[in-house]
Amino acid sequence: MITVEQALEKVLSCVEVLNREEKPILECLGQVLDEDVYSPLDVPPLDNAAMDGYAVQAESTRGVTQSSPAVLDVIGEVSAGAISQQEVRPGTAIRIMTGAPIPQGADSVVQFEDTDEALRPQRPISQIGILKEVKKGLNVRRAGEDISRGQLVLEKGTPLRPQEIGVLASIGKATAAVIRRPVVAILATGDELVEIDQPLPQGKIHNSNSFSLAAQVARYGGIPKILGIARDREEELEAKIRQALDSDLLLTSGGVSTGQYDLVKDVLAKQGEISFWTVRMKPGKPLAFGLINGDRKRVPHLGLPGNPVSSMVTFELFARPAILKMMGQRNLSKTMIRAISESRIENTDGRRVFARAVVRREGDHYYARTRGPQGSGILTSMTQANGLAIVPEDVAAVEEGEIIQVLMLDWREE
Ligand code: AMP
Ligand code: MG
């Protein structure tokens, strides 16, 4: 038996960061930037108003109070997107909207609330009372205060979230170079499987693994390519695997347990190399890993167990980090939480147990509780869980009230 870490290390040593692609920024969400981005301009490009109000010289407001306001002549108005042609001098003001460039001569903006505008019904307004002394620079956003021209804005290797997409847009960058998404081929194996849109004859079950796996692939940024079902026959398995040769990763489910693996082993040994592992974990003990001779290069193959829960859990532990590595992500780990266990979770045979659990927060503490049957065929138990509570290999049981580590599947508080 090998440990979870040994298995992961072996898988990661066989996958590489993919090449780059250039595309519209909105399509890059979740991908990793593959270029250093410098700004060709100042953001904002000009000094501008941070508030609606009056652009003035601070000097004109010196010593004013509510009871002895300064009355200034209003010489114009400027809204966002326009440039005022007038110049503010001592004793004058220009009505200004948020985002509008500061007119020549002005150095501050007095917000409406600090003027008597509300008491002056005539429009356009010709005079305005300033009720409060302002400091030079008040309510002025400086040119380049967010980004200055020539600045390194985003570094190569940065994962693009909505805020990074927004920053790219703010400097007028319409496309970006990012590491491309891996195409992940997904193949279900088993004589008992029937497609989801077909009637179910006696003795058969629907192929659910291809769908949970494809959804997991998509969630982490890969492009799933469902290859359908291969019966437990050599020719069929061979033919299906041929359709995966142009992919970046092949995931199969089923056919790796002791009673079954001969077929997968024979077929894959012909097309590349494969090893069968027994990983010290539960669920998901059997796992196959190999390299298939592909069109351009060798395609890594992860043979996941057939049981629906095992296939999902082994995906999280081994396929997810492989996909993230191919996408150029540096952080491959998932959030772990220390919670107080509200259940007794046993470890009967010295493997690392990943128990489906619900984590919730109460006050300053997190609590984890297992729910319902834990069999690796009970897929609905995954729908009730938001994490996997871990009992280490050398611990016989985690008792109620003890601290337990939980690998969070979703980070969403219930
Ligand atoms: P195997 O590893 O092929 O022996 O499969 C183990 C268990 O998982 C069996 O009960 C299979 O019927 C079930 N199984 C295998 N593949 C799938 C699949 N694609 N969808 C749902 N269940 C599956
Ligand atoms: Mg099978």
Side-chain angles (χ1 to χ4, degrees):
M1 282 214 259
I2 61 173
T3 63
V4 170
E5 285 75 20
Q6 286 166 333
L8 178 60
E9 198 182 311
K10 175 81 183 140
V11 170
L12 290 179
S13 73
C14 293
V15 302
E16 281 163 26
V17 178
L18 300 176
N19 52 327
R20 62 149 72 170
E21 60 184 348
E22 170 101 21
K23 58 185 190 177
I25 55 172
L26 197 49
E27 292 168 25
C28 299
L29 183 64
Q31 288 178 266
V32 170
L33 193 63
D34 197 39
E35 58 177 330
D36 285 332
V37 174
Y38 293 88
S39 178
L41 38 86
D42 281 335
V43 180
L46 298 171
D47 291 357
N48 66 92
M51 289 279 202
D52 293 337
Y54 286 85
V56 300
Q57 293 188 352
E59 197 54 37
S60 307
T61 72
R62 180 166 317 161
V64 309
T65 61
Q66 195 95 16
S67 50
S68 65
V71 177
L72 308 181
D73 290 333
V74 179
I75 58 171
E77 178 162 330
V78 61
S79 49
I83 298 278
S84 173
Q85 301 305 326
Q86 277 129 317
E87 187 179 344
V88 172
R89 297 173 196 277
T92 71
I94 289 179
R95 195 166 186 268
I96 193 166
M97 300 301 133
T98 303
I102 302 295
Q104 267 198 7
D107 55 32
S108 327
V109 173
V110 185
Q111 65 192 77
F112 285 151
E113 293 80 349
D114 295 331
T115 71
D116 63 3
E117 184 182 277
L119 306 173
R120 294 176 182 263
Q122 87 280 16
R123 290 289 182 277
I125 199 162
S126 60
Q127 286 199 312
I128 188 73
I130 307 292
L131 310 176
K132 208 171 163 184
E133 179 171 323
V134 299
K135 265 211 205 118
K136 207 171 163 168
L138 186 77
N139 296 326
V140 174
R141 298 191 289 219
R142 290 275 161 220
E145 76 173 14
D146 187 0
I147 299 167
S148 53
R149 197 173 145 191
Q151 181 187 329
L152 175 60
V153 195
L154 292 174
E155 247 177 274
K156 182 173 165 157
T158 305
L160 299 180
R161 301 169 299 169
Q163 48 269 57
E164 280 80 25
I165 305 280
V167 165
L168 292 172
S170 77
I171 61 167
K173 194 165 160 57
T175 64
V178 289
I179 306 292
R180 71 175 172 84
R181 302 177 183 279
V183 174
V184 181
I186 295 166
L187 177 60
T189 69
D191 285 337
E192 74 280 31
L193 302 178
V194 169
E195 286 302 3
I196 57 173
D197 54 356
Q198 298 300 309
L200 210 54
Q202 255 206 333
K204 309 282 184 185
I205 58 170
H206 283 303
N207 165 21
S208 61
N209 287 353
S210 291
F211 293 86
S212 45
L213 290 171
Q216 284 179 302
V217 167
R219 166 182 256 193
Y220 295 111
I223 301 169
K225 179 179 168 185
I226 292 187
L227 301 182
I229 301 167
R231 316 268 138 226
D232 292 319
R233 242 171 292 124
E234 217 170 301
E235 319 79 70
E236 251 191 66
L237 198 54
E238 255 175 30
K240 288 287 188 188
I241 285 172
R242 243 175 271 127
Q243 295 173 28
L245 297 184
D246 60 354
S247 304
D248 299 300
L249 174 67
L250 167 64
L251 299 178
T252 56
S253 72
V256 293
S257 49
T258 331
Q260 283 226 328
Y261 70 56
D262 287 350
L263 176 67
V264 176
K265 187 164 72 181
D266 289 348
V267 171
L268 284 154
K270 266 196 241 164
Q271 306 191 25
E273 54 185 271
I274 181 139
S275 28
F276 286 82
W277 299 338
T278 315
V279 184
R280 198 180 285 275
M281 64 181 284
K282 185 180 181 174
K285 181 160 77 166
L287 193 72
F289 183 72
L291 292 164
I292 308 164
N293 301 319
D295 292 346
R296 290 162 286 145
K297 51 182 192 274
R298 305 183 95 191
V299 181
H301 164 226
L302 252 175
L304 307 177
N307 275 310
V309 173
S310 311
S311 108
M312 288 197 77
V313 171
T314 49
F315 178 98
E316 280 291 337
L317 295 178
F318 306 112
R320 184 189 56 80
I323 288 170
L324 294 183
K325 180 177 176 185
M326 284 191 270
M327 293 184 66
Q329 299 275 3
R330 288 177 196 149
N331 180 7
L332 307 182
S333 57
K334 262 207 126 160
T335 304
M336 282 274 210
I337 280 204
R338 279 163 56 86
I340 297 166
S341 188
E342 293 182 307
S343 314
R344 176 173 202 274
I345 311 176
E346 272 192 25
N347 181 356
T348 48
D349 56 2
R351 290 191 268 156
R352 191 177 307 174
V353 172
F354 294 89
R356 279 133 274 160
V358 185
V359 175
R360 71 192 159 79
R361 189 169 75 172
E362 233 178 78
D364 290 339
H365 297 287
Y366 292 102
Y367 295 87
R369 182 192 320 191
T370 57
R371 235 197 230 169
Q374 291 281 323
S376 54
I378 313 283
L379 189 53
T380 52
S381 65
M382 285 294 278
T383 67
Q384 310 211 342
N386 60 359
L388 299 171
I390 300 174
V391 185
E393 291 86 327
D394 56 356
V395 172
V398 171
E399 305 292 342
E400 269 176 56
E402 289 183 353
I403 295 289
I404 193 162
Q405 297 274 355
V406 188
L407 189 156
M408 297 308 294
L409 292 170
D410 305 291
W411 192 213
R412 182 164 51 88
E413 284 178 11
E414 301 290 338

